[in-house]
Each structure stands twice: as structure tokens, then as C-alpha cells.
Amino acid sequence: TRIFYRFQSLHRLIIGIQYAAVPVMNALFILLIFTSVYATIGTRVFRDKSPEYFADFTTSLFTLIQCLSGDSWASGISRSIFQREETEWSVGIFFVSYYALATVVLLNVVVAVLLGTSCMTRLET
């Protein structure tokens, strides 16, 4: 631990991580609850239409985490479901609302918490 005190910038980084750990975990827990609600809805609505993505809760949760990461959610997952049926608006509303709310709102909360705690540690040191 003495090495952290020798390098002032490294010490600030460690203090910032300590301050940010609990608020970031709280924000990620809220994101997990939000994603679980959407996974439950997705399982109920899309189980028969797309069992490879929404067969059960864990498959739906994994699919939505894949969507949250931006890993081909539009081209691979949502388009394949959208093209199976005659232009259902529920598919578009489901995926776009989840992606918009999860990435734009909830992930920015995590970033705001990180920035807020880094500013607090900068003021304290």
C-alpha cells in the first residue's frame, strides 16, 4: 500500500474507486431490475415467435444484455423477429424503448456517479 502513497495520481484513483464502488453498484442494480422487467415481458410476448432469443427468463435476460452492449441487437435479434410477423409495432416499441431507456438514461447514471465521485475526491485531496 505504500506504493499508492508515493504516486499521488495513483492514490487519487484508488480513493475515487473506493468512493464510487457503492453508488455504481446501486445504479447497476437498478439497471438489472429494469432489464429483468423487460426480460419478463419479452419472454411472455416473444416466446413463441423467437424461442432462440426469448425461450425462458435467463435466455431473455442474456438477449437483453446483448442488446444493451450494442452487439448486433438491431440487425440480428430485433430484425429477425420483426420480419417473421407482419410488421408488428410491438417489436419495434419493445426493443427501441428498452435500448433508449437502458443506454441513454440508466447507463448515463453510472457515468454521472463516477464523475461525481471523482470530483469529490479531487476536492478532498
Side-chain angles (χ1 to χ4, degrees):
T1 59
R2 280 190 271 164
I3 195 166
F4 295 135
Y5 292 108
R6 295 189 130 216
F7 300 106
Q8 189 67 19
S9 61
L10 186 60
H11 178 67
R12 282 189 204 155
L13 181 65
I14 297 300
I15 296 296
I17 290 171
Q18 287 175 344
Y19 280 126
V22 173
V24 166
M25 290 309 233
N26 288 337
L28 289 175
F29 182 69
I30 292 170
L31 181 62
L32 179 66
I33 290 172
F34 178 76
T35 303
S36 297
V37 168
Y38 263 81
T40 304
I41 294 169
T43 302
R44 297 254 184 215
V45 174
F46 303 122
R47 178 185 302 163
D48 298 328
K49 297 175 186 173
S50 182
E52 67 272 13
Y53 296 122
F54 293 99
D56 55 3
F57 176 75
T58 54
T59 308
S60 298
L61 191 63
F62 184 76
T63 299
L64 290 177
I65 290 172
Q66 179 183 357
C67 292
L68 184 63
S69 70
D71 181 26
S72 72
W73 71 273
S75 62
I77 298 170
S78 62
R79 286 208 188 266
S80 66
I81 299 171
F82 196 72
Q83 290 172 352
R84 288 182 189 162
E85 299 295 321
E86 280 189 27
T87 313
E88 279 194 37
W89 290 99
S90 62
V91 176
I93 290 171
F94 177 80
F95 282 104
V96 171
S97 67
Y98 172 73
Y99 190 75
L101 290 172
T103 59
V104 173
V105 177
L106 294 176
L107 286 182
N108 284 331
V109 168
V110 174
V111 172
V113 166
L114 286 172
L115 289 176
T117 56
S118 69
C119 290
M120 285 176 25
T121 59
R122 192 172 295 152
L123 292 174
E124 290 178 2
T125 56

